[in-house]
Amino acid sequence: MSSHAAVTSGPPEAHHWDPQTAYSGAKLGMWLFLATEILLFGVLFTCFALYRWAFPAEFHEASGHLKISAGAINTAVLIFSSYLVALGVGAAQRGDNEKVKKMTLISVVCGLLFLVIKSYEYFGKFSEGLFPATHGADWVLYFPALVLGVFLLIAAALTAFAFAAFHYHEYSKFYKYLGGAIVVMVLFPFLVSPLADLLSSIIGSVATLPEHTHYAWRGDGLTQSYKMYFGLYYAMTGLHALHVILGMGILFWVYLLARRNRFSSEYFTPMEIGGLYWHLVDLIWIYLFPLLYLID
Amino acid sequence: MAHDTHDDGIYLKILVALGVLTVITVLASSKAGFADFGTWSLAVAMIIASVKAGLVAVHFMHLKTERLDTWIYVIFPVVLLVLMMAGVFIDNPFRTGTGQPDPGVEVAAVEKHDNHGHH
């Protein structure tokens, strides 16, 4: 960063006052956050693939309950809004606040439309009796997912530390955290089964577990694994819907900034990093749609 | 502040490309029935999704004009994810003893066998 040389006096944090540094810092921060989001959804994808492998017939039948048309329309809605947001970023860079207002507002409406279609789908499934989990026994099936989540948090934290160290040019720390993250990711497949068993035996010693005290990827035939599909379906699409809601909030904030004519060729950071977040929401759905709706 | 003015025309092309790829991925799935890739349908769908994701990241998210450090931020989690998935998918077929049924073995048969073992 050449701008570092520009600020040579003042307190150590003085270089943060430089607008170019603030801009690239904010953008890198958003990319760092998006990196952790990729890992978060990536673990859910892996989890889904594992259970699909274990119960091909049941997952085939369960995924038949989803309407491809609803998923396809939602894909189109998100892709279109992503396009609008990309135009909005360009407009903000030119200081065209009017266009930013238009693009962000229509994108928020697109997000709303997505949620309406999604809730229509959810309520359709509810009326068929397909809930995330219906019987007390089902939550035992979630132990491996719980272990997965803990591993993810550790790996995500190590990744964040590695990024931070890299950003501050502390390369020995960077390698340490990077190595740690890789070790965690490599070890975890071999630990997830024993740890899930350990968890169920610990909980089993203080509470009465249902018949299948082994966490058991096997379930008891069709019905359990059927619910596993919908458990994962609700977890993945629900988490994604939360991201849509958050993204709508961010875009509406950008809209309010544009209403106050805040954007110019000198300052457009909120539109750009808000746009990055919205694109990620689109990107995750690009993978969710074929995985949940199309593959059997 | 020096920055690139992004061309709005390319965004429209990307939008059209994303739309076309969405139609292709629906038609190429075994459920739509136009083309059935059988066991490869997962791979086909994931490759198309990755092309779409790449278009969004490179053009809509401006990775095209980003510096190397931003690219590292993007590639690093993807590499971690590939490592993790590779580990899981290599390990998974050998898990028959700890609850995972053999591919091709009836779930019910594994259940029965285990129940006998416990009683």
Side-chain angles (χ1 to χ4, degrees), chain A residues 27-28 31 46 50 53 63 83 93 99 178 188 190 215 217-219 265-266 279 287 293 295-296, chain B residues 1 3-4 6 8 12 30-31 42 50 60 66 70 73-74 76 84-85 91-92 98 100 111 114:
Chain A
K27 207 161 65 172
L28 272 185
W31 275 108
T46 313
L50 275 178
W53 196 338
S63 72
Y83 165 68
Q93 288 174 342
K99 193 172 180 186
L178 175 78
F188 119 96
F190 307 102
Y215 70 89
W217 265 326
R218 59 185 96 95
S265 57
E266 297 295 312
H279 292 311
Y287 280 98
Y293 290 76
I295 296 161
D296 49 32
Chain B
M1 270 164 90
H3 53 79
D4 312 277
H6 301 290
D8 287 357
L12 190 61
S30 50
K31 281 187 185 169
L42 176 70
S50 297
F60 282 177
E66 288 293 348
T70 309
Y73 276 40
V74 177
F76 187 40
M84 182 189 72
M85 286 182 168
D91 176 68
N92 196 46
T98 51
Q100 175 103 350
E111 274 299 305
D114 270 10

Side-chain angles (χ1 to χ4, degrees), chain B residues 55-75:
Chain B
L55 287 176
V56 170
V58 171
H59 291 282
F60 282 177
M61 297 169 95
H62 308 143
L63 266 184
K64 203 169 57 172
T65 53
E66 288 293 348
R67 290 182 321 230
L68 181 68
D69 52 354
T70 309
W71 276 90
I72 291 171
Y73 276 40
V74 177
I75 291 166

Side-chain angles (χ1 to χ4, degrees), chain A residues 181-197:
Chain A
I182 290 173
V183 166
V184 168
M185 288 305 218
V186 169
L187 277 184
F188 119 96
F190 307 102
L191 291 176
V192 64
S193 292
L195 284 177
D197 269 337

Side-chain angles (χ1 to χ4, degrees), chain A residues 35-37 69 84 86 97 126 132 163 174 196 227 236-237 262:
Chain A
T36 64
E37 294 276 60
S69 55
L84 296 180
N97 283 281
F126 292 164
F163 278 142
F174 168 69
K227 284 169 204 149
M236 291 162 94
T237 57
R262 286 291 303 280

Side-chain angles (χ1 to χ4, degrees), chain A residues 77-242:
Chain A
V77 167
L78 279 192
I79 288 173
F80 181 66
S81 71
S82 231
Y83 165 68
L84 296 180
V85 162
L87 290 181
V89 174
Q93 288 174 342
R94 291 189 300 270
D96 186 350
N97 283 281
E98 279 307 307
K99 193 172 180 186
V100 173
K101 269 161 63 180
K102 227 182 284 173
M103 294 301 142
T104 48
L105 209 55
I106 303 173
S107 295
V108 170
V109 172
C110 283
L112 203 62
L113 182 62
F114 177 91
L115 291 175
V116 167
I117 295 172
K118 200 78 221 134
S119 350
Y120 163 77
E121 282 188 272
Y122 276 174
F123 286 116
K125 296 292 148 286
F126 292 164
S127 67
E128 291 178 49
L130 297 168
F131 296 100
T134 34
H135 288 297
D138 288 352
W139 55 272
V140 180
L141 284 171
Y142 291 90
F143 283 166
L146 198 65
V147 175
L148 266 146
V150 173
F151 267 94
L152 165 84
L153 281 178
I154 295 168
L158 286 170
T159 309
F161 286 136
F163 278 142
F166 186 82
H167 192 65
Y168 291 111
H169 306 286
E170 294 178 27
Y171 295 110
S172 67
K173 271 190 188 170
F174 168 69
Y175 288 124
K176 214 186 289 171
Y177 290 128
L178 175 78
I182 290 173
V183 166
V184 168
M185 288 305 218
V186 169
L187 277 184
F188 119 96
F190 307 102
L191 291 176
V192 64
S193 292
L195 284 177
D197 269 337
L198 184 69
L199 194 63
S200 56
S201 66
I202 290 170
I203 294 177
S205 66
V206 290
T208 316
L209 282 175
E211 190 68 20
H212 295 285
T213 36
H214 276 0
Y215 70 89
W217 265 326
R218 59 185 96 95
D220 63 352
L222 192 105
T223 46
Q224 288 274 18
S225 45
Y226 215 77
K227 284 169 204 149
M228 197 66 226
Y229 175 88
F230 278 99
L232 283 167
Y233 166 78
Y234 285 117
M236 291 162 94
T237 57
L239 189 63
H240 178 261
L242 279 179

